[in-house]
Amino acid sequence: MSIRHALLALLSEGPSYGLRLRQEFESRTGDLWPLNIGQVYTTLQRLERDGLVESDDTDRDGPQKLFRITATGTEELTGWLRAPDGAAPPRDELVIKVLVSLRVPGVDVSEVIQAHRRHLVEMMQRYTRLKAHGGEDAERDVGLALVVDAELFRLEGVVRWLDAAEIRLREPAPPATPAPATPAPAAPASGAGGRTARRQGARR
Amino acid sequence: MTTMLELRRVSKVHGAGAAEVHALREVDLSVHQGELVAVMGPSGAGKSTLLTIAGSLEEPTSGEVLVAGAALSTMSRHARARLRRRTIGYVFQDFNLLAGLTAVENVALPLELDGLGAKDARAAGLAVLERLGLADRADRHPDELSGGERQRVAIARALVGERKLLLADEPSGALDSVNGEAVMRLLRAACRSGVAGVVVTHDSRLASWADRVVFIRDGRMVDQTVAPAGPESLLEPGQKA
């Protein structure tokens, strides 16, 4: 999340003070992303240094300082809104854990997958509860629903990856090369258990 | 806390010999009044079998099913049919509304089949439609309703009368995510008003509306979520200034 651009976006609605910017940011994200006030002032100082915002009194710091967005700041903001985010897949820790589970003797990868799936679904239950309990403030609720949805869809994506991983690991591996002319002796049973069972069998 | 649905070591085997398929293996599940439970699992895990057995539409090979404290195995066919009309409500993925009937006629139908007069059945039907925000759609036919409205009518039909157990099979499978959410909100609200609900789904986002999520694999209950902590636990300690 770019606090820098979130602050520029709030300032694009009109000049504001650091404290008020923090309150606005928190309320519009349904209070799910708390901001440290120090973080707000540091970011504002950097924005001012880069010419993206300006203030009335450059000598005075603190709550009395009123900030407004500059033309360069507006240009930066509109460019950022449309810029696509990173293309390379991140090195996801969960992906690595599942990959490692396949190699560690005595570890049942299905159990590892289920432990993470349960944890993710419990997280999703907590986020959904926030939506279900939606309060009185309609504008805040839309912000909350959007932030919660973003997190729910992200978590759902991870659960779906785990589901797909589990199915893939249970299916017998497709033959990579044409079958050899002479059948291999004592071929492992296919079907239930699939690849996981064969791997466990190989360790015995 | 009243237990509305109890499955005790329920197994279901389809076929015999080499073609034998174990759809359920010694499943234990209790669902209490006011509770919404989601059963999550991939295709073929046994979710739908679990629901049809819980709803007395199918009999288990072994084990016992109790609905509102009464064991289904000790009931006559007639008593089971009455239980299905009065106590259990079903919601299906494809709504299953009768095209020739209006919304309120669809909703009132289970009560009429149970012997209630047409006028009283209609009044009860209208009351549920109103509760679900569909009063102005009561006299429309299903083809005059949106997908979301059709499913809400189907939920109204499942709730009409004195239902105690609500069973839903992928109830929002055919809907977009916002309409799907509306369906889950209604099911949750129905449970809060005293019904026990079971939703089977492969969708974690829908399952997350439940109080408890039970995971099923190859006919076995393998895991379940623990009662979720409050939303404040989402904010990491020390983050707030």
Side-chain angles (χ1 to χ4, degrees):
Chain A
M1 175 188 51
S2 169
I3 297 167
R4 185 179 160 88
H5 291 101
L7 293 180
L8 281 179
L10 289 172
L11 286 170
S12 72
E13 294 172 13
S16 190
Y17 300 96
L19 211 63
R20 192 187 293 167
L21 286 168
R22 181 181 79 160
Q23 285 164 356
E24 274 290 307
F25 178 88
E26 290 188 350
S27 111
R28 293 205 200 178
T29 53
D31 289 329
L32 276 186
W33 287 335
L35 265 191
N36 185 306
I37 190 64
Q39 219 174 348
V40 173
Y41 284 119
T42 313
T43 309
L44 285 169
Q45 274 167 15
R46 287 189 190 141
L47 286 170
E48 191 169 19
R49 181 198 64 198
D50 299 343
L52 303 179
V53 305
E54 58 191 15
S55 62
D56 293 333
D57 184 353
T58 45
D59 296 333
R60 199 171 47 173
D61 274 333
Q64 284 82 33
K65 202 163 173 176
L66 186 72
F67 292 91
R68 68 173 60 81
I69 193 166
T70 62
T72 322
T74 306
E75 207 174 300
E76 165 73 20
L77 174 65
T78 50
W80 171 76
L81 285 174
R82 284 166 185 76
D85 296 327
R91 280 190 204 169
D92 190 286
E93 194 167 332
L94 181 57
V95 177
I96 294 168
K97 280 181 184 170
V98 171
L99 287 171
V100 168
S101 302
L102 293 172
R103 303 281 160 210
V104 180
V107 170
D108 179 350
V109 69
S110 294
E111 276 176 28
V112 172
I113 286 176
Q114 177 54 29
H116 286 286
R117 178 164 34 219
R118 188 189 62 234
H119 175 72
L120 288 161
V121 172
E122 283 169 353
M123 289 277 289
M124 292 176 77
Q125 283 179 291
R126 293 207 285 275
Y127 276 107
T128 299
R129 201 147 293 206
L130 283 178
K131 261 198 309 195
H133 292 174
E136 303 285 304
D137 182 346
E139 192 187 331
R140 181 180 172 277
D141 280 355
V142 173
L144 175 73
L146 290 174
V147 175
V148 166
D149 277 347
E151 195 54 21
L152 283 171
F153 280 109
R154 188 187 71 77
L155 294 168
E156 181 198 17
V158 183
V159 173
R160 289 177 67 177
W161 177 78
L162 288 173
D163 292 345
E166 189 175 34
I167 292 168
R168 250 180 231 290
L169 293 169
R170 288 158 61 108
E171 280 170 358
T177 51
T182 49
S190 61
R195 200 183 293 178
T196 312
R198 286 208 302 278
R199 194 170 24 256
Q200 284 165 346
R203 281 202 299 270
R204 276 183 210 119
Chain B
M1 202 169 2
T2 315
T3 304
M4 286 297 181
L5 172 68
E6 193 173 353
L7 270 60
R8 293 182 187 159
R9 296 175 75 82
V10 165
S11 295
K12 180 70 185 179
V13 183
H14 297 292
E20 203 173 82
V21 176
H22 290 259
L24 292 178
R25 297 165 191 259
E26 303 199 332
V27 168
D28 288 310
L29 176 69
S30 294
V31 185
H32 307 293
Q33 185 177 23
E35 188 185 26
L36 179 61
V37 171
V39 179
M40 237 188 113
S43 314
K47 304 190 297 288
S48 294
T49 305
L50 185 144
L51 213 61
T52 52
I53 287 178
S56 94
L57 297 168
E58 198 177 2
E59 285 184 28
T61 308
S62 63
E64 188 69 272
V65 180
L66 293 93
V67 174
L72 298 185
S73 61
T74 62
M75 288 183 189
S76 66
R77 273 186 62 184
H78 178 71
R80 278 209 298 269
R82 196 172 56 206
L83 185 84
R84 287 197 293 269
R85 287 197 304 272
R86 290 188 182 172
T87 309
I88 306 174
Y90 304 89
V91 182
F92 306 92
Q93 179 173 356
D94 45 7
F95 320 142
N96 285 2
L97 296 175
L98 295 176
L101 301 183
T102 62
V104 67
E105 287 165 350
N106 264 291
V107 174
L109 190 63
L111 297 182
E112 284 197 61
L113 289 175
D114 200 35
L116 193 68
K119 205 174 154 191
D120 289 343
R122 183 181 164 87
L126 277 175
V128 188
L129 285 176
E130 194 170 344
R131 209 171 96 204
L132 269 52
L134 286 166
D136 59 337
R137 297 285 189 274
D139 294 314
R140 303 262 179 101
H141 284 85
D143 62 358
E144 298 170 301
L145 300 171
S146 72
E149 288 169 343
R150 274 180 229 171
Q151 191 57 308
R152 274 149 70 201
V153 171
I155 292 173
R157 181 183 56 188
L159 289 173
V160 75
E162 302 290 314
R163 304 308 171 97
K164 294 190 171 80
L165 178 61
L166 193 58
L167 304 173
D169 194 350
E170 301 280 4
S172 53
L175 302 174
D176 64 64
S177 62
V178 175
N179 271 302
E181 178 176 315
V183 163
M184 294 308 294
R185 262 182 207 276
L186 286 180
L187 294 178
R188 189 182 159 96
C191 291
R192 290 293 174 274
S193 68
V195 175
V198 181
V199 176
V200 306
T201 183
H202 67 279
D203 183 332
S204 54
R205 237 165 356 93
L206 297 179
S208 71
W209 283 87
D211 299 299
R212 184 156 54 102
V213 181
V214 171
F215 298 89
I216 184 169
R217 289 285 175 288
D218 301 325
R220 277 185 216 283
M221 296 282 186
V222 292
D223 202 4
Q224 63 178 322
T225 59
V226 294
E232 65 281 356
S233 61
L234 293 168
L235 303 176
E236 286 173 29
Q239 238 185 330
K240 189 117 186 169

